[in-house]
Amino acid sequence: MSNNKDTQSTDNTEQKPEKVVTKYDLKMQRRKEQKEKELRDRRIGRIIGVVLAVALVCFVASFPIRNLLTVKGTYVTVNGEQINRVEFDYYYQTARNEYMSTNGMYLSYFGLDLSGDLSRQMYSETLTWKDYFEEVAVQNIARNKGMLKEARAEGFTYDTGEDYREYEEMLEQAASENGYTVKDYVKELYGVYATPSRIKPYIEEALYVAAYYDKVAEGVAPAMEEIESYYAENKASYDSVDYYMETVDAQLPTEPTELADPVEEPEEGEEENGGDDGESGEEQTYQPSEAEIAAAMEKAKEEADKAVKTIRKGELHEGARRTAINSNVRDWLYDEARKEGDTNVIEDAANHRYYVVCFMDRYLEETPSADLHIAMTDKGNGQALMDEWKGGEATEETFAELCDKYNDASVMSARGGLVEGALPSSVPDELKEWMTDEARQKGDTVVISPETEEYDYVVYYAGPNDAEWAMSIRNTLINEKMSEYLEEKTQDIQVQDSRGNLNYLKVRAQEEEAKASAESSEGTEEGNTDSQEPGTEGSGESGTEEDGSSEEPGTEDSGSAQ
């Protein structure tokens, strides 16, 4: 489930009623309206006749009936599940909101204007953005409904009550921050037919499915033997290296030398039209000739060769991972043949430089991950939260309660602020230094205020976990298995769209038809080519004998494809 929010705001011009409307007031109001309606109907019947009165009553009554059909009626059927308009809009808007949240800063590069008509903006050569989000919505429906059936068949139970209350609190806060009532904000998030009561079952279903997903993920967690086997096949992705490196840049000339390319004499009138300064009239950066570059690189190579002797006097790079190392030298450093003290001079022709490298060590870093309870709060508030915790029982349980009390679920959603197996490489440097300290003990706490972030971290150390490399591989294998699990839920999706609500289905059908037609044509052409005997190229007589028919190529195949 996504709690991504559309941040567009509008002025709320509704006035709050001075009197609280009770159920009794509403009941009396309905009775009054009913009496007025009956009186109005009788008057209409006397003045313009019964037929017109009946027509008017039917027309007025059709509005709630049509609305009910839209809300409760089947909009589309996915794998046998009848989906009404409200539920489909929920999935559609969720897909849209998630995409916006993930790619918000790149939307303009994609040519996507979410405030415009998505059915007129192209996602691809054939699909509009509306088509794309509808297709994603159908895939998500198939996936979630498949997991829902599986969970219920297994008898999986999960109380979504507390999760839903948290969702309501976030919804109310977001609505207030964006200047909406909750009712209007729900429509902004999930579609014009959405109301808090209508979408509640879909939110609860999403929470239930999410809990089941976590259970399945726990069940596919790999044993240490599988983790070690994966490491053995992918050592370079997890090993660290220590090495020295110095960069020697070639000193390219900034103006012509004796090795410069000959300058052609400008034709008459060329100099007046700009000469060597280009169209803008600005002085252009001198581009050295190949000979000048070669000479500069030769000198740089001489300097690099000398630097080999003193390379160990430079800076030692320790604990470097492959992905963080310059691409020109990483393969050499991670060569299984490397041994301590090996040196090399590696050319980088594209950037006109040499790297002087000295290998020292390669190893598997055994730094453990850690289980942490983390409360995240605004900058400067961390110590106040810590003081509040210390003023009570000051236990792990009460710290978890503190996290639930202050954590913004959109920033830290874990229950009790618990992060199991927090990787040192994925946390701020200040937190990494604290949690990897050899003196760290269960129950230690700290307030950390990273310079590069807008939050304070109030942290409780719940103990060490597996080494970072093992935890990283564990997460990778779980993600791979869960991706396969989810893909199975979206294979061979059966969609019934009798009213033609989903345009992407028509587009996909046209694509499949065009593909089948193209394959049929290719197959026919290959058949015609294969039918010719060697040496009879261009012989229509030979081709006719092989085909055994005067029918035009591709006619029979095209018909069968249709």
Side-chain angles (χ1 to χ4, degrees):
M1 184 199 70
S2 172
N3 292 325
N4 302 329
K5 310 170 185 67
D6 189 333
T7 57
Q8 180 182 1
S9 62
T10 60
D11 293 333
N12 183 3
T13 58
E14 295 182 1
Q15 300 294 325
K16 294 182 179 179
E18 296 179 358
K19 178 180 180 298
V20 177
V21 180
T22 65
K23 292 183 179 179
Y24 177 78
D25 293 328
L26 294 174
K27 183 178 180 180
M28 292 299 100
Q29 179 67 19
R30 282 195 294 270
R31 285 185 179 179
K32 179 181 178 183
E33 291 173 354
Q34 182 63 26
K35 289 181 179 179
E36 291 177 350
K37 179 180 181 299
E38 292 173 356
L39 179 59
R40 182 170 60 251
D41 289 347
R42 287 197 298 270
R43 288 175 179 172
I44 292 172
R46 287 197 300 268
I47 298 173
I48 59 176
V50 175
V51 174
L52 183 57
V54 172
L56 181 61
V57 170
C58 291
F59 179 74
V60 174
S62 71
F63 282 105
I65 291 174
R66 284 185 293 176
N67 187 60
L68 181 64
L69 290 175
T70 300
V71 171
K72 297 294 185 180
T74 300
Y75 185 74
V76 66
T77 302
V78 180
N79 289 344
E81 296 283 347
Q82 294 182 342
I83 308 299
N84 62 42
R85 178 64 184 274
V86 177
E87 183 170 15
F88 185 83
D89 283 355
Y90 163 77
Y91 277 97
Y92 175 90
Q93 291 295 118
T94 297
R96 173 186 175 278
N97 294 341
E98 286 183 347
Y99 190 91
M100 180 176 64
S101 175
T102 303
N103 304 288
M105 63 185 298
Y106 303 107
L107 295 185
S108 61
Y109 294 102
F110 300 156
L112 175 60
D113 176 13
L114 288 171
S115 64
D117 185 352
L118 298 185
S119 67
R120 296 180 178 274
Q121 302 178 58
M122 299 307 295
Y123 167 78
S124 66
E125 292 183 359
T126 56
L127 292 177
T128 66
W129 279 99
K130 182 174 183 291
D131 296 334
Y132 169 72
F133 290 133
E134 285 180 343
E135 187 170 30
V136 173
V138 168
Q139 292 172 348
N140 290 344
I141 289 170
R143 179 197 65 198
N144 282 17
K145 296 299 182 182
M147 293 177 65
L148 183 65
K149 282 185 178 180
E150 185 177 307
R152 287 174 175 170
E154 291 183 8
F156 175 73
T157 59
Y158 181 76
D159 185 1
T160 62
E162 186 172 348
D163 289 343
Y164 186 77
R165 284 190 293 273
E166 290 181 3
Y167 163 79
E168 286 185 306
E169 292 175 1
M170 289 191 297
L171 191 65
E172 291 174 1
Q173 180 182 353
S176 176
E177 291 175 351
N178 289 281
Y180 286 95
T181 63
V182 171
K183 181 179 179 180
D184 289 340
Y185 195 62
V186 165
K187 291 183 183 298
E188 282 290 318
L189 284 178
Y190 303 120
V192 295
Y193 296 104
T195 65
S197 60
R198 286 174 182 170
I199 67 168
K200 181 178 180 181
Y202 312 130
I203 301 295
E204 291 177 327
E205 183 177 290
L207 293 169
Y208 174 81
V209 168
Y212 180 71
Y213 175 91
D214 291 340
K215 172 186 174 293
V216 175
E218 291 176 2
V220 300
M224 182 55 70
E225 292 78 9
E226 187 177 355
I227 292 175
E228 292 174 343
S229 176
Y230 185 90
Y231 163 73
E233 297 175 0
N234 301 273
K235 286 185 177 182
S237 297
Y238 298 94
D239 283 354
S240 300
V241 295
D242 296 344
Y243 67 100
Y244 292 95
M245 187 176 78
E246 182 178 336
T247 303
V248 179
D249 289 305
Q251 301 302 311
L252 302 181
T254 57
E255 57 184 29
T257 68
E258 65 276 7
L259 296 176
D261 289 335
V263 178
E264 296 182 5
E265 292 294 331
E267 296 182 5
E268 184 177 353
E270 183 176 343
E271 187 172 349
E272 288 79 1
N273 291 331
D276 294 336
D277 291 341
E279 294 181 1
S280 64
E282 296 180 359
E283 185 176 353
Q284 301 297 305
T285 302
Y286 176 67
Q287 299 298 321
S289 67
E290 292 185 6
E292 288 175 320
I293 292 175
M297 287 293 285
E298 185 177 350
K299 290 183 179 180
K301 178 65 165 57
E302 293 175 359
E303 293 181 24
D305 289 338
K306 293 178 182 178
V308 169
K309 299 178 181 179
T310 58
I311 185 63
R312 292 201 194 188
K313 294 182 179 179
E315 178 184 0
L316 176 63
H317 300 269
E318 296 182 282
R321 296 287 293 274
R322 181 182 176 85
T323 55
I325 298 174
N326 186 293
S327 60
N328 292 279
V329 303
R330 66 168 63 128
D331 288 342
W332 182 82
L333 286 171
Y334 276 87
D335 190 323
E336 291 289 346
R338 286 285 77 72
K339 59 183 182 296
E340 182 180 354
D342 284 355
T343 58
N344 196 9
V345 174
I346 300 173
E347 181 182 15
D348 180 0
N351 294 298
H352 308 123
R353 63 179 53 146
Y354 286 92
Y355 300 102
V356 184
V357 193
C358 177
F359 174 86
M360 296 303 295
D361 195 13
R362 173 175 168 176
Y363 51 92
L364 184 61
E365 178 62 63
E366 294 290 348
T367 302
S369 60
D371 295 339
L372 308 171
H373 291 280
I374 302 176
M376 297 178 66
T377 184
D378 292 337
K379 207 83 163 181
N381 292 345
Q383 191 57 50
L385 267 64
M386 181 66 78
D387 292 342
E388 178 180 336
W389 174 71
K390 289 183 176 179
E393 297 180 11
T395 63
E396 182 175 356
E397 182 178 0
T398 58
F399 196 95
E401 293 172 357
L402 182 83
C403 293
D404 288 337
K405 179 180 178 180
Y406 289 105
N407 276 341
D408 182 343
S410 64
V411 179
M412 172 61 73
S413 60
R415 189 69 55 81
L418 179 60
V419 180
E420 295 181 294
L423 303 178
S425 60
S426 65
V427 300
D429 291 340
E430 296 89 340
L431 179 53
K432 173 184 177 180
E433 183 178 352
W434 179 82
M435 64 184 272
T436 57
D437 190 324
E438 294 182 358
R440 193 61 49 233
Q441 297 291 323
K442 178 179 172 61
D444 287 352
T445 58
V446 70
V447 175
I448 292 176
S449 184
E451 294 182 1
T452 58
E453 298 195 24
E454 58 183 359
Y455 299 101
D456 279 354
Y457 289 71
V458 186
V459 187
Y460 181 100
Y461 187 79
N465 207 316
D466 291 336
E468 178 171 1
W469 68 269
M471 187 62 69
S472 180
I473 293 177
R474 178 181 182 275
N475 293 338
T476 296
L477 293 176
I478 289 176
N479 288 338
E480 288 179 355
K481 293 176 181 178
M482 292 308 294
S483 293
E484 293 174 359
Y485 169 79
L486 293 179
E487 285 177 7
E488 292 176 359
K489 304 299 179 187
T490 55
Q491 288 181 351
D492 302 322
I493 300 175
Q494 302 299 316
V495 183
Q496 286 78 48
D497 180 24
S498 59
R499 297 185 179 183
N501 292 315
L502 305 181
N503 183 66
Y504 89 86
L505 292 174
K506 303 172 188 175
V507 175
R508 293 304 189 196
Q510 292 170 355
E511 291 176 345
E512 288 298 319
E513 184 177 347
K515 180 180 178 182
S517 178
E519 291 176 350
S520 176
S521 298
E522 290 176 2
T524 303
E525 291 176 1
E526 290 178 0
N528 291 339
T529 301
D530 293 341
S531 67
Q532 292 182 352
E533 295 181 2
T536 61
E537 183 177 351
S539 172
E541 183 177 337
S542 175
T544 302
E545 290 176 356
E546 289 292 332
D547 290 344
S549 172
S550 61
E551 188 174 300
E552 292 184 6
T555 303
E556 184 177 350
D557 286 345
S558 297
S560 63
Q562 293 176 353

